[in-house]
Coordinates of all heavy atoms in Angstrom, one line a residue:
M266 N 102.3 78.7 102.8 CA 101.4 77.9 103.6 C 100.3 78.8 104.1 O 100.5 79.9 104.5 CB 102.2 77.3 104.7 CG 101.3 76.4 105.6 SD 102.5 75.5 106.8 CE 101.9 76.2 108.3
K267 N 99.0 78.3 104.0 CA 97.9 79.1 104.5 C 97.5 78.7 105.9 O 97.7 77.5 106.3 CB 96.7 78.8 103.6 CG 96.9 79.1 102.1 CD 96.5 80.4 101.8 CE 96.7 80.6 100.2 NZ 96.6 82.0 99.9
K268 N 97.0 79.7 106.7 CA 96.6 79.4 108.0 C 95.4 80.3 108.4 O 95.3 81.4 107.9 CB 97.8 79.7 109.0 CG 97.5 79.4 110.4 CD 98.8 79.7 111.2 CE 98.5 79.3 112.7 NZ 99.7 79.5 113.5
I269 N 94.5 79.8 109.2 CA 93.4 80.6 109.7 C 93.7 81.2 111.0 O 94.0 80.4 112.0 CB 92.1 79.7 109.7 CG1 91.8 79.1 108.4 CG2 90.9 80.6 110.3 CD1 91.1 79.9 107.4
I270 N 93.6 82.5 111.2 CA 93.9 83.2 112.4 C 92.8 84.2 112.7 O 92.0 84.6 111.8 CB 95.3 83.8 112.5 CG1 95.4 84.9 111.4 CG2 96.4 82.8 112.3 CD1 96.6 85.8 111.5
K271 N 92.7 84.7 113.9 CA 91.8 85.8 114.2 C 92.3 87.1 113.6 O 93.6 87.3 113.6 CB 91.6 86.0 115.7 CG 90.9 84.8 116.4 CD 90.8 85.0 117.9 CE 90.1 83.8 118.5 NZ 90.0 83.9 120.0
M272 N 91.5 88.0 113.2 CA 91.9 89.2 112.6 C 92.8 90.0 113.6 O 93.7 90.7 113.2 CB 90.7 90.1 112.2 CG 91.1 91.4 111.5 SD 89.7 92.5 111.2 CE 89.0 91.6 109.8
R273 N 92.5 89.9 114.9 CA 93.3 90.6 115.9 C 94.7 90.2 115.9 O 95.6 91.0 116.3 CB 92.6 90.3 117.3 CG 93.3 91.0 118.4 CD 92.6 90.7 119.7 NE 93.2 91.4 120.8 CZ 92.7 91.4 122.0 NH1 91.6 90.8 122.2 NH2 93.3 92.1 122.9
Q274 N 95.0 89.0 115.4 CA 96.4 88.5 115.5 C 97.2 88.9 114.2 O 98.4 88.6 114.2 CB 96.4 86.9 115.5 CG 95.7 86.4 116.8 CD 95.5 84.9 116.8 OE1 95.1 84.4 115.7 NE2 95.7 84.3 117.9
M275 N 96.6 89.5 113.3 CA 97.3 89.9 112.0 C 98.2 91.1 112.3 O 98.0 91.9 113.2 CB 96.2 90.3 111.0 CG 95.4 89.1 110.5 SD 94.1 89.6 109.3 CE 95.1 90.0 107.9
T276 N 99.3 91.1 111.5 CA 100.2 92.2 111.7 C 99.9 93.4 110.7 O 99.1 93.2 109.8 CB 101.7 91.7 111.4 OG1 101.7 91.2 110.0 CG2 102.1 90.6 112.4
N277 N 100.5 94.5 110.9 CA 100.3 95.7 110.1 C 100.6 95.3 108.6 O 101.6 94.7 108.3 CB 101.1 96.9 110.5 CG 100.5 97.5 111.8 OD1 99.4 97.2 112.2 ND2 101.3 98.4 112.4
Y278 N 99.7 95.8 107.7 CA 99.9 95.6 106.3 C 99.7 94.1 105.8 O 99.9 93.9 104.6 CB 101.1 96.2 105.7 CG 101.3 97.7 106.2 CD1 102.2 98.0 107.1 CD2 100.4 98.6 105.7 CE1 102.3 99.4 107.6 CE2 100.5 99.9 106.1 CZ 101.4 100.3 107.0 OH 101.5 101.6 107.4
Q279 N 99.4 93.2 106.7 CA 99.2 91.8 106.3 C 97.8 91.7 105.6 O 96.9 92.3 106.0 CB 99.2 90.9 107.5 CG 99.2 89.4 107.2 CD 99.3 88.6 108.4 OE1 99.1 89.0 109.5 NE2 99.7 87.3 108.2
K280 N 97.8 90.9 104.5 CA 96.6 90.7 103.8 C 96.0 89.3 104.1 O 96.7 88.4 104.5 CB 96.9 90.8 102.3 CG 97.3 92.1 101.8 CD 97.6 92.1 100.3 CE 98.0 93.5 99.8 NZ 98.3 93.5 98.4
G281 N 94.7 89.2 103.9 CA 94.1 87.9 104.1 C 92.7 87.9 103.5 O 92.2 88.9 103.0
I282 N 92.0 86.8 103.6 CA 90.6 86.6 103.1 C 89.8 86.2 104.3 O 90.1 85.2 105.0 CB 90.6 85.6 102.0 CG1 91.4 86.1 100.8 CG2 89.1 85.4 101.5 CD1 91.6 85.2 99.7
I283 N 88.7 86.9 104.5 CA 87.8 86.5 105.6 C 87.2 85.1 105.3 O 86.7 84.9 104.2 CB 86.7 87.5 105.8 CG1 87.3 88.9 106.3 CG2 85.6 87.0 106.8 CD1 86.3 90.0 106.3
R284 N 87.3 84.2 106.2 CA 86.7 82.9 106.1 C 85.5 82.6 106.9 O 84.6 81.9 106.5 CB 87.7 81.8 106.3 CG 88.8 81.8 105.3 CD 88.2 81.5 103.9 NE 89.3 81.5 102.9 CZ 89.0 81.7 101.6 NH1 87.8 82.1 101.2 NH2 90.0 81.7 100.8
K285 N 85.4 83.3 108.1 CA 84.2 83.1 108.9 C 84.0 84.2 109.9 O 85.0 84.8 110.4 CB 84.4 81.8 109.7 CG 83.2 81.4 110.5 CD 83.4 80.0 111.1 CE 82.1 79.6 111.9 NZ 82.3 78.2 112.4
V286 N 82.8 84.6 110.2 CA 82.5 85.6 111.2 C 81.7 84.8 112.3 O 80.6 84.3 112.0 CB 81.6 86.7 110.7 CG1 81.2 87.7 111.8 CG2 82.4 87.5 109.6
T287 N 82.3 84.7 113.5 CA 81.7 83.9 114.6 C 80.7 84.7 115.4 O 80.0 84.1 116.2 CB 82.8 83.3 115.4 OG1 83.6 84.3 116.0 CG2 83.7 82.4 114.6
A288 N 80.7 86.0 115.3 CA 79.9 86.8 116.1 C 78.4 86.6 115.8 O 78.0 86.3 114.6 CB 80.2 88.3 115.9
R289 N 77.6 86.6 116.8 CA 76.1 86.4 116.6 C 75.4 87.7 117.2 O 76.0 88.5 117.8 CB 75.7 85.2 117.4 CG 76.3 83.9 116.9 CD 75.8 82.7 117.7 NE 76.5 81.5 117.2 CZ 76.0 80.7 116.3 NH1 74.8 80.9 115.8 NH2 76.6 79.6 116.0
G290 N 74.1 87.7 116.9 CA 73.3 88.8 117.5 C 73.7 90.1 116.9 O 74.1 90.3 115.7
E291 N 73.6 91.2 117.7 CA 73.8 92.5 117.2 C 75.2 92.8 116.7 O 75.3 93.4 115.7 CB 73.5 93.5 118.4 CG 73.6 95.0 118.0 CD 72.5 95.4 117.0 OE1 71.4 94.8 117.0 OE2 72.7 96.4 116.3
M292 N 76.2 92.2 117.4 CA 77.6 92.4 116.9 C 77.8 91.7 115.6 O 78.4 92.3 114.7 CB 78.6 91.9 117.9 CG 80.0 92.1 117.5 SD 81.3 91.3 118.5 CE 81.2 92.2 120.0
G293 N 77.3 90.5 115.4 CA 77.4 89.8 114.1 C 76.7 90.6 113.0 O 77.3 90.7 111.9
R294 N 75.5 91.1 113.2 CA 74.8 91.9 112.2 C 75.6 93.1 111.9 O 75.8 93.5 110.7 CB 73.4 92.3 112.7 CG 72.6 93.1 111.7 CD 71.3 93.6 112.3 NE 71.6 94.5 113.4 CZ 71.9 95.8 113.2 NH1 72.1 96.3 112.0 NH2 72.1 96.6 114.3
R295 N 76.2 93.8 112.9 CA 76.9 95.0 112.6 C 78.2 94.8 111.8 O 78.5 95.5 110.8 CB 77.3 95.7 114.0 CG 78.0 97.0 113.9 CD 78.2 97.6 115.3 NE 79.1 98.7 115.2 CZ 80.4 98.7 115.2 NH1 81.0 97.5 115.2 NH2 81.1 99.8 115.1
I296 N 78.9 93.7 112.1 CA 80.1 93.3 111.4 C 79.8 93.0 109.9 O 80.4 93.5 109.0 CB 80.8 92.1 112.1 CG1 81.4 92.6 113.4 CG2 81.8 91.5 111.1 CD1 82.0 91.4 114.2
R297 N 78.7 92.3 109.7 CA 78.3 91.9 108.3 C 77.8 93.1 107.5 O 78.1 93.3 106.3 CB 77.2 90.8 108.3 CG 77.8 89.5 108.8 CD 76.7 88.4 108.9 NE 77.2 87.2 109.4 CZ 77.3 86.9 110.7 NH1 76.9 87.8 111.7 NH2 77.9 85.8 111.1
E298 N 77.2 94.0 108.2 CA 76.7 95.3 107.5 C 77.9 96.1 107.1 O 77.7 96.9 106.1 CB 75.8 96.1 108.4 CG 74.4 95.5 108.5 CD 73.5 96.3 109.4 OE1 73.9 97.2 110.1 OE2 72.3 96.0 109.4
M299 N 79.0 96.0 107.7 CA 80.2 96.8 107.3 C 80.9 96.2 106.1 O 81.9 96.6 105.7 CB 81.2 96.9 108.5 CG 80.7 97.8 109.6 SD 82.0 98.2 110.8 CE 81.9 96.6 111.8
G300 N 80.4 95.0 105.6 CA 81.0 94.4 104.5 C 82.0 93.3 104.8 O 82.7 92.8 104.0
L301 N 82.1 93.0 106.1 CA 83.0 91.9 106.6 C 82.3 90.6 106.5 O 81.8 90.1 107.6 CB 83.5 92.3 108.0 CG 84.3 93.6 108.0 CD1 84.5 94.0 109.5 CD2 85.6 93.5 107.3
V302 N 82.3 90.0 105.3 CA 81.6 88.7 105.1 C 82.6 87.7 104.5 O 83.6 88.1 104.0 CB 80.4 88.9 104.2 CG1 79.3 89.8 104.9 CG2 80.8 89.5 102.9
P303 N 82.3 86.4 104.6 CA 83.2 85.4 104.1 C 83.6 85.7 102.6 O 82.8 86.2 101.9 CB 82.5 84.1 104.3 CG 81.6 84.4 105.5 CD 81.2 85.8 105.3
D304 N 84.9 85.4 102.3 CA 85.5 85.5 101.0 C 85.8 86.9 100.6 O 86.1 87.2 99.4 CB 84.6 84.8 99.9 CG 84.4 83.3 100.1 OD1 85.4 82.7 100.6 OD2 83.3 82.8 99.8
T305 N 85.8 87.8 101.5 CA 86.2 89.2 101.3 C 87.6 89.4 101.6 O 88.1 89.1 102.7 CB 85.3 90.2 102.2 OG1 83.9 90.0 101.9 CG2 85.7 91.6 101.9
P306 N 88.4 89.9 100.6 CA 89.8 90.2 100.9 C 90.0 91.5 101.8 O 89.2 92.4 101.6 CB 90.4 90.5 99.5 CG 89.4 90.4 98.5 CD 88.1 90.1 99.2
I307 N 90.9 91.5 102.7 CA 91.2 92.6 103.6 C 92.6 92.8 103.7 O 93.4 92.0 103.4 CB 90.6 92.4 105.0 CG1 91.2 91.2 105.7 CG2 89.1 92.2 105.0 CD1 91.0 91.1 107.1
Q308 N 93.0 94.0 104.3 CA 94.4 94.3 104.6 C 94.4 95.1 105.9 O 93.7 96.1 106.0 CB 95.1 95.0 103.5 CG 96.6 95.3 103.8 CD 97.3 96.0 102.7 OE1 96.7 96.6 101.8 NE2 98.6 95.9 102.7
I309 N 95.2 94.8 106.8 CA 95.4 95.6 108.1 C 96.2 96.8 107.7 O 97.2 96.8 107.1 CB 96.1 94.8 109.2 CG1 95.4 93.5 109.5 CG2 96.3 95.7 110.4 CD1 94.0 93.7 110.0
Q310 N 95.6 98.0 108.1 CA 96.3 99.3 107.8 C 97.1 99.8 108.9 O 98.0 100.6 108.7 CB 95.2 100.3 107.4 CG 94.4 100.0 106.1 CD 95.3 100.0 104.9 OE1 95.9 101.0 104.6 NE2 95.5 98.8 104.3
G311 N 96.8 99.4 110.1 CA 97.5 99.9 111.3 C 96.7 99.8 112.6 O 95.6 99.3 112.5
R312 N 97.3 100.2 113.6 CA 96.7 100.1 115.0 C 96.9 101.3 115.7 O 97.9 102.0 115.5 CB 97.2 98.9 115.7 CG 97.0 97.6 115.1 CD 97.6 96.4 115.8 NE 97.6 95.2 115.1 CZ 96.5 94.4 115.1 NH1 95.4 94.7 115.7 NH2 96.5 93.3 114.3
A313 N 96.0 101.6 116.7 CA 96.2 102.7 117.6 C 97.4 102.4 118.5 O 97.8 101.2 118.6 CB 95.0 102.9 118.4
P314 N 98.0 103.4 119.2 CA 99.2 103.2 120.0 C 99.0 102.0 121.1 O 99.9 101.3 121.4 CB 99.4 104.5 120.7 CG 98.8 105.5 119.7 CD 97.7 104.8 119.1
L315 N 97.8 101.8 121.6 CA 97.6 100.8 122.6 C 97.0 99.5 121.9 O 96.3 98.7 122.5 CB 96.7 101.3 123.7 CG 97.4 102.4 124.5 CD1 96.4 102.9 125.6 CD2 98.7 101.9 125.2
Y316 N 97.1 99.4 120.6 CA 96.7 98.3 119.8 C 95.1 98.1 119.7 O 94.7 97.0 119.4 CB 97.4 97.0 120.2 CG 98.8 97.1 120.0 CD1 99.7 97.4 121.0 CD2 99.4 96.8 118.7 CE1 101.0 97.5 120.8 CE2 100.7 96.9 118.5 CZ 101.6 97.3 119.6 OH 102.9 97.4 119.4
D317 N 94.4 99.1 120.0 CA 92.9 99.0 119.9 C 92.4 100.4 119.7 O 92.7 101.3 120.4 CB 92.4 98.5 121.3 CG 90.9 98.2 121.2 OD1 90.4 97.9 120.0 OD2 90.2 98.1 122.2
P318 N 91.8 100.7 118.6 CA 91.3 99.8 117.6 C 92.3 99.4 116.5 O 93.4 99.9 116.5 CB 90.1 100.5 117.0 CG 90.5 102.0 117.0 CD 91.3 102.1 118.3
V319 N 91.8 98.6 115.5 CA 92.6 98.2 114.4 C 92.0 98.8 113.1 O 90.7 98.7 113.0 CB 92.8 96.7 114.3 CG1 91.5 96.0 114.3 CG2 93.6 96.3 113.1
A320 N 92.8 99.3 112.2 CA 92.2 99.8 111.0 C 92.4 98.8 109.9 O 93.4 98.2 109.7 CB 93.0 101.1 110.5
V321 N 91.3 98.5 109.2 CA 91.2 97.5 108.2 C 90.7 98.1 106.8 O 89.7 98.8 106.8 CB 90.2 96.4 108.6 CG1 90.2 95.2 107.6 CG2 90.6 95.9 110.0
K322 N 91.4 97.7 105.8 CA 91.0 98.1 104.4 C 90.1 97.0 103.9 O 90.5 95.9 103.8 CB 92.2 98.4 103.5 CG 91.7 98.9 102.1 CD 92.9 99.3 101.3 CE 92.3 99.8 99.9 NZ 93.4 100.3 99.1
V323 N 88.9 97.4 103.5 CA 87.9 96.4 103.0 C 87.4 97.0 101.7 O 86.9 98.2 101.7 CB 86.7 96.2 103.9 CG1 85.8 95.2 103.3 CG2 87.2 95.8 105.3
R324 N 87.6 96.3 100.6 CA 87.3 96.9 99.2 C 87.9 98.2 99.0 O 89.1 98.3 99.1 CB 85.7 96.9 99.1 CG 85.1 95.5 99.1 CD 83.7 95.5 98.9 NE 83.2 94.1 98.9 CZ 82.5 93.6 100.0 NH1 82.3 94.3 101.1 NH2 82.1 92.4 99.9
D325 N 87.2 99.3 98.9 CA 87.8 100.6 98.6 C 87.7 101.6 99.8 O 87.9 102.8 99.6 CB 87.1 101.3 97.4 CG 87.4 100.5 96.1 OD1 88.5 99.9 96.0 OD2 86.5 100.6 95.2
Y326 N 87.5 101.0 101.0 CA 87.4 101.9 102.1 C 88.1 101.3 103.3 O 88.4 100.1 103.3 CB 85.9 102.2 102.5 CG 85.1 101.0 102.8 CD1 84.9 100.6 104.1 CD2 84.5 100.3 101.8 CE1 84.1 99.5 104.3 CE2 83.7 99.2 102.0 CZ 83.5 98.8 103.3 OH 82.8 97.7 103.6
T327 N 88.3 102.2 104.3 CA 89.0 101.7 105.5 C 88.1 101.9 106.7 O 87.4 103.0 106.8 CB 90.3 102.6 105.8 OG1 91.2 102.4 104.6 CG2 91.0 102.1 107.0
L328 N 88.0 101.0 107.6 CA 87.2 101.1 108.8 C 88.0 100.6 110.0 O 89.0 100.0 109.8 CB 85.9 100.2 108.6 CG 86.0 98.8 108.3 CD1 86.2 98.0 109.6 CD2 84.8 98.3 107.6
T329 N 87.5 101.0 111.2 CA 88.2 100.5 112.4 C 87.3 99.6 113.2 O 86.1 99.8 113.2 CB 88.6 101.8 113.2 OG1 87.5 102.5 113.6 CG2 89.6 102.6 112.5
L330 N 88.0 98.7 113.8 CA 87.3 97.7 114.6 C 87.9 97.6 116.0 O 89.1 97.7 116.1 CB 87.3 96.3 114.0 CG 86.6 96.1 112.7 CD1 86.9 94.7 112.2 CD2 85.1 96.2 112.9
R331 N 87.1 97.4 117.0 CA 87.7 97.1 118.4 C 88.2 95.7 118.4 O 87.8 94.9 117.6 CB 86.6 97.2 119.4 CG 86.1 98.7 119.6 CD 87.2 99.4 120.3 NE 86.7 100.7 120.8 CZ 87.4 101.6 121.3 NH1 88.7 101.3 121.5 NH2 87.0 102.7 121.7
N332 N 89.2 95.5 119.3 CA 89.8 94.1 119.3 C 88.7 93.1 119.6 O 88.8 91.9 119.1 CB 90.9 94.1 120.4 CG 92.1 94.7 119.9 OD1 92.4 94.8 118.7 ND2 93.0 95.2 120.8
N333 N 87.7 93.4 120.4 CA 86.7 92.3 120.7 C 85.9 92.0 119.4 O 85.4 90.9 119.3 CB 85.8 92.7 121.9 CG 84.9 93.9 121.5 OD1 85.3 94.8 120.7 ND2 83.7 94.0 122.2
E334 N 85.8 92.9 118.5 CA 85.1 92.7 117.2 C 86.1 91.9 116.3 O 85.7 90.9 115.7 CB 84.7 94.0 116.6 CG 83.6 94.7 117.3 CD 83.4 96.1 116.9 OE1 84.4 96.8 116.4 OE2 82.3 96.6 116.9
A335 N 87.3 92.3 116.3 CA 88.3 91.6 115.4 C 88.5 90.2 115.9 O 88.9 89.3 115.0 CB 89.7 92.4 115.4
D336 N 88.3 89.9 117.1 CA 88.4 88.5 117.6 C 87.4 87.6 117.0 O 87.5 86.4 117.0 CB 88.3 88.4 119.1 CG 89.6 88.7 119.8 OD1 90.7 88.6 119.2 OD2 89.5 89.1 121.0
Q337 N 86.3 88.1 116.5 CA 85.1 87.4 116.0 C 85.3 87.0 114.5 O 84.4 86.4 113.9 CB 83.8 88.1 116.3 CG 83.6 88.5 117.7 CD 83.5 87.3 118.6 OE1 82.8 86.3 118.2 NE2 84.1 87.4 119.8
I338 N 86.4 87.5 113.9 CA 86.5 87.4 112.4 C 87.7 86.5 112.2 O 88.9 86.8 112.6 CB 86.7 88.7 111.8 CG1 85.5 89.6 112.1 CG2 86.9 88.6 110.3 CD1 85.6 91.0 111.7
L339 N 87.5 85.3 111.5 CA 88.6 84.4 111.2 C 89.0 84.7 109.8 O 88.2 84.8 108.8 CB 88.1 83.0 111.4 CG 87.7 82.6 112.8 CD1 87.2 81.2 112.8 CD2 88.7 82.8 113.8
V340 N 90.4 84.8 109.6 CA 90.9 85.2 108.3 C 92.0 84.2 107.9 O 92.8 83.8 108.7 CB 91.6 86.6 108.5 CG1 92.2 87.1 107.1 CG2 90.6 87.6 109.0
E341 N 92.0 83.9 106.6 CA 93.0 83.0 106.0 C 94.2 83.9 105.5 O 93.9 84.8 104.8 CB 92.4 82.2 104.8 CG 93.4 81.3 104.2 CD 92.8 80.5 103.1 OE1 92.2 79.5 103.4 OE2 93.0 80.9 101.9
V342 N 95.4 83.6 106.0 CA 96.5 84.4 105.7 C 97.6 83.5 105.2 O 97.6 82.3 105.5 CB 97.0 85.2 106.9 CG1 96.0 86.2 107.3 CG2 97.4 84.3 108.0
D343 N 98.6 84.0 104.4 CA 99.8 83.3 104.0 C 100.8 83.4 105.1 O 101.1 84.5 105.6 CB 100.3 83.9 102.7 CG 99.5 83.6 101.5 OD1 99.0 82.5 101.5 OD2 99.4 84.4 100.6
I344 N 101.3 82.2 105.5 CA 102.4 82.2 106.5 C 103.6 81.7 105.8 O 103.6 80.7 105.2 CB 102.0 81.2 107.7 CG1 100.7 81.6 108.3 CG2 103.1 81.1 108.7 CD1 100.8 82.9 109.1
L345 N 104.7 82.4 106.0 CA 106.0 82.0 105.4 C 106.5 80.7 106.1 O 106.5 80.6 107.4 CB 107.0 83.1 105.6 CG 106.7 84.4 104.8 CD1 107.8 85.4 105.0 CD2 106.6 84.1 103.3
D346 N 106.9 79.8 105.3 CA 107.4 78.5 105.9 C 108.8 78.8 106.5 O 109.7 79.3 105.8 CB 107.5 77.5 104.8 CG 107.8 76.1 105.3 OD1 107.9 75.9 106.6 OD2 108.0 75.2 104.5
E347 N 109.0 78.5 107.7 CA 110.3 78.8 108.4 C 111.4 77.9 107.8 O 112.6 78.3 108.0 CB 110.2 78.5 109.9 CG 109.2 79.5 110.5 CD 109.0 79.2 112.0 OE1 109.7 78.3 112.6 OE2 108.2 79.9 112.6
K348 N 111.1 76.9 107.1 CA 112.2 76.0 106.5 C 112.8 76.6 105.3 O 113.9 76.2 104.9 CB 111.6 74.6 106.2 CG 111.2 73.9 107.4 CD 110.6 72.6 107.1 CE 110.0 71.9 108.3 NZ 109.3 70.6 107.9
Q349 N 112.2 77.6 104.7 CA 112.7 78.2 103.5 C 113.7 79.2 103.8 O 113.8 79.9 104.7 CB 111.6 78.9 102.7 CG 110.6 77.9 102.2 CD 109.4 78.6 101.4 OE1 109.3 79.8 101.4 NE2 108.6 77.8 100.7

């Protein structure tokens, strides 16, 4: 089952596809310039001890985002059906 969640809510090593970037203005431009645009596959690589920032693998590189930036990115992820 597929579900759209904020990037911040993803768990370590979870994969997904960016579906929307809600940030506008300077933050939105900065996020898009890093290659975080719709239909881009990503994978969470890990988090700092206090869960901020989050490391994200995008294409062939890894970048880090603050939680307030990760909140602006909506990602489609696979959710395991609890009935299985």
